[in-house]
Amino acid sequence: MVLNRRAMLGTLGGLVVGGALAATAWPAAAATFDQKSAPFGWTPHKLDPVACAKVAYDGYWFNDYGCCYGAFYAIIGTMGETFGAPYNQFPFTMMEVGKSGISDFGTICGALLGVASSYSLFWGRNERNPMVSDLFRWYEKTSFPMYDPGDAAQGVKGPLPTSLSDSVLCHISASRWCTSSKRAQSSKDRNERCARVTADVVTQGIAILNAKIDGTFKPTGKSEAVAYCGECHGKDKQADNAKGLMDCRPCHGGSEHVQDKFQNHP
Amino acid sequence: MVLNRRAMLGTLGGLVVGGALAATAWPAAAATFDQKSAPFGWTPHKLDPVACAKVAYDGYWFNDYGCCYGAFYAIIGTMGETFGAPYNQFPFTMMEVGKSGISDFGTICGALLGVASSYSLFWGRNERNPMVSDLFRWYEKTSFPMYDPGDAAQGVKGPLPTSLSDSVLCHISASRWCTSSKRAQSSKDRNERCARVTADVVTQGIAILNAKIDGTFKPTGKSEAVAYCGECHGKDKQADNAKGLMDCRPCHGGSEHVQDKFQNHP
């Protein structure tokens, strides 16, 4: 199914203009969906949250790979440095993709994606989703950054202002912090804040990981807003049209920030 | 840095209560950030968008692993089935994490995450971000689903309504389709729609991949809304407090959907 020259005639300038030709160049695709390791088959190990928080913080700054790389390396990279394969076989720089909410788009907080992705090497959705949900809800409700690297700070030393995100989205989390702290989005302070948040997310993520391994993990439920709105917008209810578990309030709570900024911007 | 019993004394009930103890149990963390493969060092190959769209569609349904798995496997799995290592060494089920916007949260569309992650095996941020941005902007502006599996449909056969997302977020993309098509979020129709969107995203993602390999890829700019709002909220401007590149209009354009639904819900 890899493209040869003849089939490439069907693809010019980013537009598929010759699908029929390309389709005749191969037999119908019959993917095996095989993989070398068992599905969700890696073995999880307990980790030290204090040591790994430092790895997460340093990983954020390492070659500026950012939050998702830092968080993922702090978990899977740490296992790799201790146990070798399969953990150390992972192409870790792939996780740079999560930086600033996926290549700067501001969607999911990359630190959350890094930890959630690490869980997915060990557990399928029935086991993993409650762990991810627990981590994400903690993130929505927690004022951070809390981590302080002290003299090992790579951006800005000393305490930083904290803010509550109410959201797992990078855009809302970072922008709220910038607004409340009067710091620029493009400032070194904001970088430092996100490096510390990466450490915070890993600290909490490892608490969940360790509890899961111990058998003591107890999932929390949906957010109050999602449960409330779900009374009408949930499965089999009268308006089953809203997908997702993000806290509803930041965008549907009437905040001045989500009014019309294109017509009557203050 | 892996946790032993003594250090675990510092972590109880999900709360870090003995950081000092844990910190003394190890030397200061000194992560190497080594990886076996060169950073962003895998070799990209051109792919056939028609054949891979079918893999993406089928991958969505395979064990219900969903959109992110389907999109990623259609690219990296296809390379693995043809070229073997390193592509076929990837623990593909990890990508299930992106299903429904990261474990059901409705953040980034998982199909977009799957394609963006595949790019990140080949290219670092300077090369990759324009590719991701191009794909994401295409997604914001395109009415889908367009892919039709014909008799090979695994959810619902026949044509489906289309909708414009204006957003890369699963929550907005899926909810807008449900609202405009009067289909339930939890319906088989919505699953089928997302399976077809996975094929659409892979088709476009491979057009970008192939063009990049050919040297003909030309990045588009920011969305009109992001450029407009960036005149004040961009780097070094008067209100540099907004992180991200998502189209601003869905949440900041005065839509009835983002008014206060907790006080005066219609």
Side-chain angles (χ1 to χ4, degrees):
Chain A
M1 276 167 288
V2 171
L3 201 61
N4 62 21
R5 184 184 157 283
R6 181 176 165 221
M8 264 309 283
L9 295 173
T11 308
L12 292 168
L15 292 173
V16 179
V17 294
L21 173 63
T24 59
W26 287 270
T32 64
F33 302 114
D34 283 344
Q35 67 180 49
K36 297 294 181 181
S37 53
F40 316 105
W42 291 16
T43 302
H45 295 277
K46 284 192 198 176
L47 297 171
D48 170 29
V50 175
C52 292
K54 176 166 171 43
V55 176
Y57 177 84
D58 290 344
Y60 174 96
W61 294 105
F62 184 69
N63 292 332
D64 288 330
Y65 287 155
C67 47
C68 186
Y69 172 89
F72 186 85
Y73 191 92
I75 295 178
I76 304 302
T78 297
M79 292 185 195
E81 293 191 11
T82 307
F83 295 104
Y87 317 98
N88 69 350
Q89 304 297 305
F90 197 93
F92 292 107
T93 48
M94 172 181 138
M95 304 308 289
E96 191 204 47
V97 74
K99 182 176 179 172
S100 294
I102 317 298
S103 279
D104 292 342
F105 261 70
T107 70
I108 183 70
C109 165
L112 291 176
L113 177 60
V115 173
S117 298
S118 78
Y119 292 164
S120 196
L121 288 164
F122 311 123
W123 293 287
R125 60 186 178 270
N126 290 342
E127 296 288 313
R128 180 188 68 249
N129 285 3
M131 301 169 68
V132 173
S133 191
D134 202 68
L135 179 67
F136 283 23
R137 286 206 59 205
W138 164 86
Y139 185 98
E140 287 174 338
K141 298 186 296 181
T142 302
S143 290
F144 41 63
M146 298 179 285
Y147 181 80
D148 190 333
D151 287 339
Q154 298 192 46
V156 178
K157 287 186 187 178
L160 284 178
T162 63
S163 67
L164 190 67
S165 293
D166 283 335
S167 173
V168 295
L169 296 177
C170 164
H171 169 72
I172 296 177
S173 176
S175 299
R176 280 195 174 188
W177 185 83
C178 290
T179 302
S180 68
S181 70
K182 298 185 169 58
R183 304 297 213 280
Q185 186 283 123
S186 56
S187 68
K188 186 66 81 175
D189 286 23
R190 205 273 307 147
N191 284 135
E192 178 71 24
R193 177 263 185 191
C194 288
R196 296 183 188 189
V197 169
T198 302
D200 290 336
V201 168
V202 162
T203 301
Q204 184 67 15
I206 287 177
I208 293 169
L209 173 81
N210 289 345
K212 180 70 177 176
I213 294 171
D214 272 343
T216 58
F217 170 69
K218 290 190 176 61
T220 52
K222 295 176 182 175
S223 78
E224 293 75 8
V226 171
Y228 170 79
C229 297
E231 290 175 17
C232 291
H233 292 284
K235 183 174 180 179
D236 299 331
K237 301 301 172 83
Q238 64 192 82
D240 176 13
N241 59 8
K243 189 161 180 59
L245 296 173
M246 290 185 280
D247 193 308
C248 311
R249 295 170 300 154
C251 297
H252 302 287
S255 157
E256 62 171 307
H257 298 290
V258 289
Q259 302 310 305
D260 191 345
K261 300 298 186 185
F262 292 84
Q263 299 292 335
N264 299 300
H265 198 307
Chain B
M1 276 167 287
V2 171
L3 200 62
N4 62 21
R5 184 186 157 281
R6 181 173 165 223
M8 265 308 283
L9 294 173
T11 308
L12 292 168
L15 291 172
V16 179
V17 294
L21 173 63
T24 59
W26 286 272
T32 64
F33 300 116
D34 284 343
Q35 68 181 48
K36 296 293 182 183
S37 53
F40 316 106
W42 290 18
T43 302
H45 295 278
K46 285 191 198 176
L47 296 171
D48 170 28
V50 175
C52 293
K54 177 166 169 45
V55 176
Y57 177 84
D58 290 343
Y60 175 96
W61 294 106
F62 184 69
N63 292 332
D64 287 330
Y65 287 155
C67 47
C68 185
Y69 171 88
F72 186 85
Y73 190 92
I75 295 177
I76 304 302
T78 297
M79 293 184 194
E81 294 192 10
T82 307
F83 295 103
Y87 317 98
N88 70 349
Q89 305 297 306
F90 198 93
F92 292 107
T93 48
M94 172 181 137
M95 303 308 289
E96 191 204 47
V97 73
K99 183 175 179 174
S100 294
I102 318 299
S103 279
D104 292 342
F105 261 69
T107 71
I108 182 71
C109 165
L112 291 176
L113 177 61
V115 173
S117 298
S118 78
Y119 292 164
S120 196
L121 289 163
F122 311 122
W123 293 288
R125 60 187 178 270
N126 290 341
E127 297 288 313
R128 181 188 68 248
N129 285 4
M131 301 169 69
V132 173
S133 190
D134 203 68
L135 180 68
F136 282 23
R137 286 206 59 205
W138 164 85
Y139 184 99
E140 287 175 338
K141 297 187 296 180
T142 303
S143 289
F144 40 63
M146 299 178 285
Y147 182 81
D148 190 332
D151 287 340
Q154 298 192 44
V156 178
K157 287 186 188 180
L160 285 178
T162 62
S163 67
L164 190 67
S165 294
D166 283 335
S167 173
V168 296
L169 297 179
C170 164
H171 169 73
I172 296 177
S173 176
S175 300
R176 280 195 174 189
W177 184 84
C178 290
T179 301
S180 68
S181 71
K182 298 185 169 57
R183 304 296 213 281
Q185 187 284 124
S186 55
S187 66
K188 186 67 81 177
D189 285 24
R190 206 273 307 147
N191 283 134
E192 179 69 24
R193 176 261 184 192
C194 288
R196 297 184 187 189
V197 169
T198 302
D200 291 336
V201 168
V202 162
T203 301
Q204 184 68 14
I206 287 177
I208 294 169
L209 173 81
N210 290 346
K212 180 69 177 176
I213 294 171
D214 270 343
T216 59
F217 170 70
K218 290 189 176 62
T220 52
K222 294 176 182 174
S223 79
E224 293 76 8
V226 171
Y228 171 79
C229 297
E231 291 175 15
C232 291
H233 293 285
K235 183 174 180 179
D236 299 331
K237 302 301 172 82
Q238 65 191 83
D240 177 12
N241 59 9
K243 188 162 181 57
L245 296 172
M246 290 185 280
D247 193 309
C248 311
R249 295 169 301 154
C251 297
H252 301 287
S255 158
E256 62 172 304
H257 299 289
V258 290
Q259 302 310 306
D260 190 344
K261 300 298 186 185
F262 292 85
Q263 299 291 334
N264 298 302
H265 198 308

